[in-house]
């Protein structure tokens, strides 16, 4: 392979970062990161400022180029990974957003989703999109904007509005409004996309009352998505790779074989299991989704979503003031007395897989007079391990060996994201899952996956099988907890969750 530079943009829920990579080995050369604000205008509502999403992206792209000391013209392409399901609607002529971005965590459309389920639409939606009717996904957020912004629905029906997830919005802005595009992985999270046909579905558009004229064009994950306005970055740079952040992390973790699974631990946590060219339909309320699309060929995955992972640690820091930094939670958890069992069910914005309870709210069980910050810290970190076990057990119930085209079901978990830096959390995860947890050398796997897609399109990175051979293990965590203790702890978690659900079951 020839050498070159690839710039990756990872726009997440709490921060935006850009990393410049050398190819073909995808070695990080320079990075820039900027936190972004979340806005909470009502209970269960979460929003971003669209302009901040763009300006933080532009700033970090510029900073990464400057810190590397390279000429922008030497960059062969940009890869974009983005927070998924977050919705923006803007005017095609002016480029002005009609409303703040409604974030994937937002639950304002819970009642609308419940009504659609009660009307009997759940089976058709799941069969077409692989998803459940839930506020998590994009469609009901789009409809909410059209129904609550004065004149929006009329303007949309006239073909004057554009919808996009964060990737589409950033590409629109970076290209000066010349490209309204997305990739298959982001389209697959909208409740509007037929994941087997690989196309927007007219019946879903009718169900959610969304004009087709609003939708972006869907392309492969490695493709030509447009060229940046040269005034923005110092050169006209091709955007050559796009994937939703969790799919980008799956690619960065080189989970290309059926049966391989990764989990990314950030604000939330998401586990994706590669099922190959077979869209496995879950009987345990997991999601069937597109893991990647290359050369028109789709690879599918089963996915489990944890809405609150690292956000629980942020709550301890910012909401309760119990810790001064996220790193402090690890020290406190190590010091906590495991005999003083405290359970934190972090249902701040509802519960995801396998419960999908939008009305559930957070709860703490086992409080005693001597419960303190160390116990809270341990409970917050353990909650992530417990929820991950919930996901993997649902995956095991769904899978038969034949469903994985010869692959083996979940022998090891590859972990990444901010929480993966914590040895204590990774060991807790291995103990609770009773299987090894592998942490890679390159832990910025989301940006790495986006960079790989752009590098692949640019001809600078090898084919997936060869890229997989470059993956390197930094540390393997193996189970060390007594089986009886593990099962007792998990039974207590299951009981806590049952008491937190807004409805029985």
């Amino acid at each position: 392979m020839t050498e070159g530079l690839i710039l990756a943009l990872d726009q997440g829920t709490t921060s935006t970062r850009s990393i410049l990579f050398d190819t073909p080995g995808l070695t990080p050369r320079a990075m820039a990161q900027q936190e972004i604000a979340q806005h909470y205008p009502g209970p269960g509502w979460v929003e971003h400022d669209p302009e901040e999403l763009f300006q933080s992206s532009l700033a970090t792209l510029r900073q990464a180029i400057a810190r590397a000391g390279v000429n922008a013209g030497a960059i062969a392409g940009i890869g974009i990974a983005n927070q998924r399901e977050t919705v923006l609607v803007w005017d095609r002529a002016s480029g002005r957003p009609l409303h703040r971005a409604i974030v994937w965590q937002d639950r304002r459309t819970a009642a609308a989703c419940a009504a659609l389920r009660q009307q009997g639409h759940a089976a058709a939606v799941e069969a077409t999109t692989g998803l459940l009717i839930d506020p998590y996904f994009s469609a009901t957020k789009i409809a909410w904007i059209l129904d609550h912004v004065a004149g929006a629905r009329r303007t949309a029906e006239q073909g004057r509005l554009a919808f996009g997830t964060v990737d589409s919005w950033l590409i629109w802005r970076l290209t000066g409004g010349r490209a309204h595009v997305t990739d298959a992985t982001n389209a697959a999270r909208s409740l509007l996309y037929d994941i087997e046909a690989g196309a927007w579905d007219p019946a879903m558009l009718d169900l959610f009352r969304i004009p087709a004229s609003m939708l972006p064009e869907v392309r492969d994950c490695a493709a030509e998505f447009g060229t940046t306005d040269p005034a923005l970055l110092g050169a006209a740079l091709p955007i050559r790779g796009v994937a939703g952040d969790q799919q980008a992390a799956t690619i960065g973790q080189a989970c290309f074989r059926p049966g391989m699974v990764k989990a990314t631990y950030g604000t939330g946590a998401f586990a994706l299991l590669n099922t190959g060219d077979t869209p496995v339909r879950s009987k345990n309320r997991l999601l069937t989704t597109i893991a990647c699309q290359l050369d028109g060929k789709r690879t599918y995955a089963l996915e489990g979503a944890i809405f609150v992972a690292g956000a629980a640690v942020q709550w301890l820091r910012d909401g309760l003031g119990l810790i001064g930094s996220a790193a402090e939670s690890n020290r406190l958890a190590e010091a906590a007395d495991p005999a003083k069992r405290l359970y934190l069910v972090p249902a701040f914005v509802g519960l995801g897989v396998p419960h999908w309870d939008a009305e559930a709210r957070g709860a703490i069980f086992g409080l005693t007079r001597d419960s303190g910050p160390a116990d809270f810290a341990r409970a917050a970190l353990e909650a992530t391990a417990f929820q991950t076990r919930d996901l993997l057990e649902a995956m095991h119930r769904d899978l038969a060996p034949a469903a994985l085209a010869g692959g083996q079901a979940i022998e090891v978990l590859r972990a990444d994201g901010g929480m993966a830096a914590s040895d204590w959390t990774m060991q807790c995860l291995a103990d609770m899952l009773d299987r090894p947890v592998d942490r890679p050398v390159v832990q910025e796997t989301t940006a790495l996956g986006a960079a790989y897609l752009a590098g692949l399109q640019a001809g600078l990175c090898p084919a997936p099988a060869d890229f997989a051979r470059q993956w390197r293990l930094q540390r393997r965590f193996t189970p060390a907890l007594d089986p009886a203790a593990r099962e007792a702890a998990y039974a207590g978690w299951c009981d806590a969750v049952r008491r937190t659900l807004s409805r029985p079951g």
Side-chain angles (χ1 to χ4, degrees):
M1 306 299 297
T2 58
E3 296 183 358
L5 298 173
I6 295 293
L7 186 57
L9 170 62
D10 176 9
Q11 202 300 298
T13 312
T14 57
S15 71
T16 303
R17 71 186 69 189
S18 294
I19 304 177
L20 188 69
F21 290 88
D22 289 312
T23 63
L26 290 178
T27 304
R29 179 184 283 203
M31 184 182 84
Q33 183 169 350
Q34 184 174 313
E35 289 192 4
I36 60 171
Q38 290 181 298
H39 304 274
Y40 306 97
W45 292 28
V46 190
E47 297 177 350
H48 287 317
D49 177 357
E51 189 63 22
E52 185 180 15
L53 295 178
F54 172 66
Q55 291 298 336
S56 65
S57 298
L58 183 60
T60 58
L61 288 168
R62 287 172 170 170
Q63 289 164 12
I65 295 170
R67 289 173 183 174
V70 301
N71 186 298
I75 297 170
I78 295 175
I80 296 176
N82 59 284
Q83 53 169 307
R84 305 171 305 170
E85 299 98 14
T86 295
V87 162
L88 299 102
V89 175
W90 63 92
D91 185 283
R92 289 184 178 274
S94 68
R96 181 183 61 84
L98 270 67
H99 192 274
R100 280 178 177 165
I102 301 181
V103 178
W104 59 271
Q105 296 169 310
D106 191 282
R107 312 306 286 173
R108 75 187 66 189
T109 63
C113 290
L116 289 167
R117 291 192 297 268
Q118 290 165 4
Q119 292 162 15
H121 296 295
V125 169
E126 187 171 355
T128 300
T129 70
L131 309 177
L132 305 177
I133 299 175
D134 189 84
Y136 175 33
F137 305 108
S138 302
T140 56
K141 298 182 178 75
I142 305 169
W144 188 94
I145 291 175
L146 296 183
D147 289 335
H148 289 81
V149 175
R153 184 164 291 283
R154 180 180 66 255
T155 307
E157 290 168 351
Q158 294 169 349
R160 293 160 51 192
L161 298 184
F163 145 72
T165 41
V166 171
D167 60 309
S168 294
W169 168 245
L170 295 179
I171 294 170
W172 175 278
R173 292 294 302 271
L174 288 168
T175 63
R178 293 187 300 275
H180 184 208
V181 292
T182 190
D183 85 296
T185 68
N186 278 294
R189 312 298 295 186
S190 63
L191 284 175
L192 303 172
Y193 197 70
D194 186 328
I195 60 170
E196 292 198 54
W200 299 114
D201 186 77
M204 294 298 103
L205 293 173
D206 288 343
L207 176 63
F208 292 102
R209 300 178 302 120
I210 296 170
S213 61
M214 298 181 68
L215 304 176
E217 178 187 340
V218 182
R219 297 181 180 172
D220 286 350
C221 298
E224 301 297 329
F225 290 90
T227 303
T228 65
D229 183 334
L232 294 177
L233 298 172
L237 302 181
I239 302 169
R240 289 180 153 163
V242 174
D245 52 9
Q246 301 310 318
Q247 283 88 345
T250 305
I251 293 164
Q253 285 275 38
C255 291
F256 294 124
R257 288 185 291 103
M260 296 185 73
V261 61
K262 74 88 201 176
T264 299
Y265 296 95
T267 303
F270 303 85
L272 269 74
L273 171 71
N274 185 322
T275 64
D277 58 7
T278 304
V280 175
R281 302 295 179 166
S282 176
K283 296 180 174 62
N284 294 280
R285 312 193 81 191
L286 293 165
L287 307 175
T288 306
T289 195
I290 295 174
C292 188
Q293 182 171 306
L294 298 174
D295 297 324
K297 181 182 178 182
R298 286 176 288 282
T299 298
Y300 295 94
L302 278 175
E303 177 176 338
I306 296 169
F307 294 156
V308 173
V313 178
Q314 291 176 323
W315 173 68
L316 295 182
R317 182 192 66 190
D318 302 333
L320 299 185
L322 292 180
I323 58 175
S325 67
E328 191 177 343
S329 64
N330 302 308
R331 178 182 59 79
L332 287 172
E334 290 174 355
D337 181 357
K340 291 165 42 181
R341 175 66 63 182
L342 197 68
Y343 289 100
L344 168 62
V345 183
F348 303 148
V349 290
L351 288 170
V353 175
H355 312 288
W356 291 108
D357 187 347
E359 303 303 322
R361 289 297 177 262
I364 299 170
F365 298 94
L367 282 171
T368 60
R369 179 62 182 82
D370 60 347
S371 297
D375 305 300
F376 275 78
R378 184 184 180 104
L381 298 181
E382 284 185 327
T384 297
F386 290 135
Q387 291 179 98
T388 303
R389 177 166 169 177
D390 288 344
L391 301 188
L392 265 63
E393 293 209 348
M395 288 177 175
H396 271 296
R397 290 193 297 271
D398 271 336
L399 293 176
L404 293 180
Q408 298 298 313
I410 315 181
E411 294 179 346
V412 62
L413 176 71
R414 290 187 172 181
D416 57 80
M419 295 182 79
S422 164
D423 290 354
W424 192 93
T425 303
M426 293 299 97
Q427 185 59 54
C428 178
L429 191 58
D431 288 340
M432 194 47 54
L433 299 179
D434 193 27
R435 59 176 44 82
V437 173
D438 285 355
R439 185 170 64 193
V441 170
V442 179
Q443 293 179 45
E444 295 288 352
T445 54
T446 302
L448 180 65
Y452 172 71
L453 292 170
L456 183 66
Q457 178 67 17
L460 298 175
C461 288
D466 293 322
F467 176 66
R469 284 189 279 272
Q470 298 176 6
W471 186 91
R472 293 292 180 267
L473 175 69
Q474 188 264 333
R475 180 173 173 182
R476 168 166 285 190
F477 297 85
T478 56
L481 186 64
D482 175 76
R486 177 177 59 250
E487 295 311 310
Y490 185 62
W493 163 259
C494 293
D495 179 62
V497 170
R498 278 192 296 270
R499 290 190 277 167
T500 303
L501 295 172
S502 68
R503 56 186 184 274

